[in-house]
Amino acid sequence: APSAAAAAEMDKYSISMFDGNGNMLSMAGIAEQLRTRLGGLTEQERLAALGRIFGNESLNAATLLYEGGAAKVNEWTAAVDD
């Protein structure tokens, strides 16, 4: 479960890692949520939000998810899929 700060930030931007049935969304689905829900923020606001959601240690990975969105996640998945 996310920390209280992460949960509050996710609620603030209507970001969820799970669907209505409690199943975790795909990485592409999560990345697309980040792009659409945080897209109107300034870079400073977006980095702060991503830091609160994912923790500052994971900020680089979260930023890559935001920047690439679902298309890049799907592209990467196709490239590494056996």
Side-chain angles (χ1 to χ4, degrees), residues 1 3 7-8 11 18 21 23-24 27 29-30 38 45 49 55 57 59 64 66-69 71 73 75 77 81:
S3 69
D11 286 345
F18 298 92
N21 295 321
N23 298 312
M24 188 166 180
M27 187 65 70
I30 293 168
L38 302 179
E45 291 168 331
E57 301 81 18
L59 189 55
L64 291 173
Y66 165 79
E67 289 174 352
V73 171
E75 180 183 318
T77 301
D81 196 13

Side-chain angles (χ1 to χ4, degrees), residues 38-72:
L38 302 179
L41 302 178
T42 66
E43 183 177 9
Q44 182 179 10
E45 291 168 331
R46 185 173 52 254
L47 291 174
L50 290 169
R52 283 189 288 275
I53 293 169
F54 292 100
N56 288 328
E57 301 81 18
S58 302
L59 189 55
N60 287 340
T63 300
L64 291 173
L65 283 175
Y66 165 79
E67 289 174 352
K72 286 295 183 184

